Each structure stands twice: as structure tokens, then as C-alpha cells.
Amino acid sequence: MTQRTSTMNLAEAFSTLLAGELPFRFTAYDGSSAGPADAPFGIDLRNERGLSYLVSAPGDLGLARAYVQGDLHLVGAHPGDPFEALMLVKGNQHGLKFRRPSPAEAVALLRAVGLSRLKPPPVPPQEHLPRWRRVMEGMLHSPERDAEVIHHHYDVSNRFYEMVLGPSMTYTCALFPTEETTLDDAQFAKYDLVCRKLGLRPGMRLLDVGCGWGGMVRHAVQHYGVTALGVTLSAEQASWGQERIKELRLDDRAEVRHMDYREVVESGFDAVSSIGLTEHIGVGNYPAYFGFLRSKLRPHGRLLNHCITRPHNQKTHTGAFIDRYVFPDGELTGSGRIITEAQDAGLEVQHEENLRPHYARTLAGWNRNLVAHWDECVAEVGEATARVWGLYMAGSRMGFETNEIQLHQVLATRTDDRGGSGYPLRHDWVG
């Protein structure tokens, strides 16, 4: 009688790859489990498709595919806010650390998984093409390509964004003057800080590039008496923003256009604001970007650039999950690179500020809103898309909390032909 050869179960296979103790409970569809039974969070691998996602795309991408499809479940975490679970699973101090298996272990792992699992299942419909395919099919950051990317991310559902972002309809880092400040008040404070840094006064003209749903445009017109033009590549944002402007009877002084910022023909603006656009344009395009914004300013005009940055000045792509599901073609670099490119374009940098902890708080607020409106959000966009957003916002919050990413505002001026900036001896917006 032939003796049957034993093989690893899935929990044993998973544990074999770890360096150190498992910080959470792992369970799998074959009935196996590993890790502390009393752990506050756990990972439940529910089916063979989920296993195929994990082994065919090791790392963030495979985990994201299985999670988005519902094949991988975070036990003890709400899908609208899995932040605490992610910190345990991937946090810098106590998260998972993998090791390279020995040849014998690799053979045993392959037997446990099965060769058939190495073939990747169809990817979730929310996933974008890989970066190499995008490069092959057309130049990144062309107007046409950027329009496609913005449509992918922002034209989800205005109702969905209303539930997640709250009344401000602002999808950028807020400013929290105190621990008790609400998310909506913090967005008001952010816009007000930008207006003060730009030195806005009644009668001035403002250009807001990448204006989203027009929050900056409305704030500047309502509270500072300017005339403002906002431009966005999202048709849904432009429609919502222009409708809101008309509801507030601001359309004699405010406008949101559906267009690429590079197509703006007006010039001589007193101020230009760019809040959350730079992440989308590509680091290689910074010279043209800052040069174009400078050309839209009158002498002594001010530019405020607000964007996500790295804590170093190398160019980096976003991670695989962010690139495929959230911000295709996104690139980040440090505030030093932002300042250098602005200076090389002929702008005089007057001030820079890091708002990193404020973005972590902003994302926490968005996650809370998603949890509070979970059933409505799922009904609006489907559970898979809602899961993408919960995971993305919680993961981004983790990045800000652990200083993997930052948020910088850079204030600059256009000097006149004699080198004058029109900027006061001391900052006139502090206080």
C-alpha cells in the first residue's frame, strides 16, 4: 500500500513566508488557521480565486485584487475604514515581514498552492491598465491621456463624493486649527489660508487650476470679493461646480470650466491657485507646468501650489494599487524639487509649509463619512468600488502617519522686469 505524502495547508504555507511572529489571525477556506486567536484583526482568505490573486501578483496588487473582489476579508475592520487593520498588517514597526524561502520550502509551497493557481484570474473591472501598457499605447500626460485618467478617478458619482467628502465637496488636504475642528470647518480654514497667502482682495482675478468641484473658486468669490475662473478635466466636477455657482448666484463673478488648464487663454491674473493638481502632471512636465502658470500671472502676482510630496526629492511612481485603481500615471517627488522647478521657471519662492498631519486627519474624516454612509455608497457605486475607496483612503492615511508621503504648500511670486516681487517685508497673511 502506497503511503500518501502530506502537504502544507494554506496557513502553514503563509506562515512559512514570514520572518517573525504573525501579528494577526489568518484563516483560509481549507479550514486552516494561524496566528493569535485573540488578535483584534484578522485576514480571511475565502476561496481559490483569492489565492490565485495572491500568488499570481505577490504584494500590494494581489492583495488589493483579492480584497476588492471580496475574496479576502479583513476580520474586525469595516471595509469603509480598515486603517487600524492596515497599520497592524503593514505598519512599519509591527507589520508583516517576509523572508525568502529555502529551495525545499519553495517546492513545498508550490505543492500547497498548486500550479493552476499561478494563472492570474481576470482582474477586477475597477483596475486600470498597467503602466507599461499605458506607455506603449500613448504618451503619458498628454491632454488626451490626462483627460482619460481624470475621468477614471473623478467621474465616479457626484452623489458618492457628496457622501464621502461632506458638504464642502473638497477632495484635498484640509487645515485643522485645533484638535476639535470638524472636517468641513477645516476645509474652510484651508481655503481661507490659501486666499490669505495669495493676498486676495476685492476686484482681483483668480485662476484655480485643477479646481475640482469649485470649492476654492466659491470661497474666494464669496469671502474675498474676487472674480474667479476654475478649470477641471472632469466633466462631472465641472457640471456640479457650475450648478452650485448658479445656485449661489455667483455666476457673474465665478466660473468652472471643463477644460485642460493648458488651454486657458486668459492671462494677467492677480493670483493662481493649484490645489491637488501637481500629482497628476508628471515630474518631467514640471518646467512646462510652472512656466505656464507664471505666464498667467501679472507682475507681482502670486502662485500657491498645494500638492502631495515625498520626504525625499527623487521621482517615484505611486504604488501598484494606487496606480492601477486610484491615480493612474501619478508621480510624486519632494518639496525641494517643487521649489527648484518653480525657481527655474522664473518664480520667486516666498514660503513653503508642510501640512502632513493635516492630511492624515482629513483622510480619517473621509473614512468616517464612508462608514457612516456605507450602504448608500455601495448602492451608488457598488461594493467593489466602495472597497477600493475605503482601502485607498486608509492606506493613504497610513502613508501620511508614517511619513512616507507629505503635503506641501509653496507660495511664489512673479517678479517684474526690474526684479521687484511686490511681496511685503514680512508675510501679510499670518494670523
Side-chain angles (χ1 to χ4, degrees):
M1 185 173 181
T2 304
Q3 186 176 2
R4 189 176 180 181
T5 304
S6 63
T7 59
M8 289 183 180
N9 60 43
L10 292 177
E12 290 170 339
F14 184 76
S15 299
T16 298
L17 295 173
L18 294 179
E21 296 296 320
L22 189 63
F24 54 84
R25 185 71 169 171
F26 175 84
T27 57
Y29 62 88
D30 67 349
S32 62
S33 61
D38 60 349
F41 300 105
I43 288 181
D44 181 26
L45 180 59
R46 293 180 162 179
N47 54 45
E48 293 186 0
R49 184 178 66 175
L51 178 62
S52 293
Y53 278 132
L54 297 183
V55 299
S56 62
D60 288 355
L61 187 57
L63 286 166
R65 286 171 174 170
Y67 180 77
V68 168
Q69 293 286 64
D71 302 333
L72 190 71
H73 182 62
L74 289 176
V75 181
H78 192 288
D81 187 8
F83 172 75
E84 296 295 341
L86 291 182
M87 286 295 285
L88 183 64
V89 173
K90 293 195 63 181
N92 289 348
Q93 293 183 341
H94 306 293
L96 292 179
K97 295 179 177 61
F98 291 97
R99 66 178 182 85
R100 184 185 296 275
S102 68
E105 288 172 330
V107 171
L109 286 168
L110 187 58
R111 286 175 178 166
V113 170
L115 284 173
S116 63
R117 305 291 176 268
L118 299 179
K119 181 180 179 181
V123 300
Q126 290 78 15
E127 184 171 317
H128 215 268
L129 290 173
R131 183 176 287 266
W132 68 267
R133 282 278 303 278
R134 288 175 249 147
V135 172
M136 291 286 290
E137 292 183 7
M139 185 176 66
L140 298 184
H141 303 298
S142 66
E144 296 78 15
R145 174 63 195 165
D146 285 349
E148 179 185 345
V149 167
I150 294 300
H151 170 74
H152 174 85
H153 185 67
Y154 292 103
D155 292 346
V156 176
S157 158
N158 282 333
R159 177 58 189 147
F160 173 79
Y161 281 110
E162 288 172 348
M163 291 184 282
V164 173
L165 303 181
S168 74
M169 279 295 273
T170 300
Y171 186 39
T172 48
C173 176
L175 178 74
F176 292 81
T178 70
E179 299 279 343
E180 293 75 30
T181 302
T182 66
L183 175 60
D184 212 46
D185 287 345
Q187 292 292 9
F188 183 99
K190 183 269 299 296
Y191 285 135
D192 213 60
L193 176 64
V194 173
C195 289
R196 296 200 312 273
K197 284 184 175 181
L198 290 173
L200 297 184
R201 298 186 301 277
M204 284 186 167
R205 297 171 62 231
L206 167 71
L207 171 64
D208 185 37
V209 294
C211 69
W213 291 270
M216 177 63 189
V217 168
R218 294 192 303 276
H219 188 99
V221 171
Q222 287 180 294
H223 299 282
Y224 287 83
V226 304
T227 299
L229 167 63
V231 295
T232 173
L233 275 174
S234 166
E236 293 293 324
Q237 287 181 336
S239 175
W240 191 99
Q242 195 59 28
E243 183 177 339
R244 183 66 177 138
I245 284 170
K246 290 180 179 179
E247 289 174 357
L248 296 171
R249 298 181 180 179
L250 301 175
D251 43 321
D252 60 329
R253 290 178 294 138
E255 181 184 1
V256 170
R257 292 181 193 165
H258 176 216
M259 66 186 304
D260 193 296
Y261 77 92
R262 290 165 286 197
E263 297 174 351
V264 174
V265 296
E266 295 92 335
S267 60
F269 289 95
D270 299 283
V272 173
S273 53
S274 176
I275 305 174
L277 173 63
T278 319
E279 300 92 329
H280 296 286
I281 66 172
V283 175
N285 292 320
Y286 282 5
Y289 165 75
F290 282 111
F292 182 84
L293 298 187
R294 180 186 179 277
S295 75
K296 295 298 157 183
L297 286 168
R298 64 164 177 80
H300 301 181
R302 298 185 188 183
L303 164 68
L304 190 287
N305 197 86
H306 167 123
C307 70
I308 299 171
T309 55
R310 292 288 191 193
H312 54 75
N313 291 301
Q314 288 77 44
K315 181 182 81 170
T316 59
H317 298 152
T318 55
F321 167 65
I322 298 293
D323 183 62
R324 298 282 192 96
Y325 285 85
V326 187
F327 290 119
D329 305 348
E331 293 177 352
L332 300 176
T333 189
S335 59
R337 182 72 179 270
I338 299 287
I339 290 172
T340 296
E341 298 288 1
Q343 291 173 327
D344 287 351
L347 292 159
E348 182 176 4
V349 174
Q350 304 290 351
H351 184 268
E352 71 88 24
E353 180 176 10
N354 185 4
L355 299 178
R356 175 170 73 91
H358 296 264
Y359 217 154
R361 285 179 172 271
T362 304
L363 287 154
W366 292 341
N367 273 126
R368 285 194 299 271
N369 287 343
L370 180 55
V371 170
H373 298 93
W374 180 254
D375 291 342
E376 296 169 88
C377 287
V378 169
E380 182 70 22
V381 300
E383 184 171 356
T385 296
R387 280 175 167 262
V388 166
W389 281 87
L391 183 63
Y392 148 63
M393 293 187 297
S396 295
R397 179 185 171 191
M398 186 171 68
F400 285 105
E401 293 277 10
T402 58
N403 198 30
E404 293 181 8
I405 44 179
Q406 301 175 345
L407 188 288
H408 276 85
Q409 287 188 349
V410 174
L411 177 65
T413 52
R414 175 174 178 169
T415 58
D416 60 30
D417 292 340
R418 301 180 64 181
S421 68
Y423 202 78
L425 293 175
R426 299 297 301 160
H427 301 306
D428 54 359
W429 46 267
V430 177

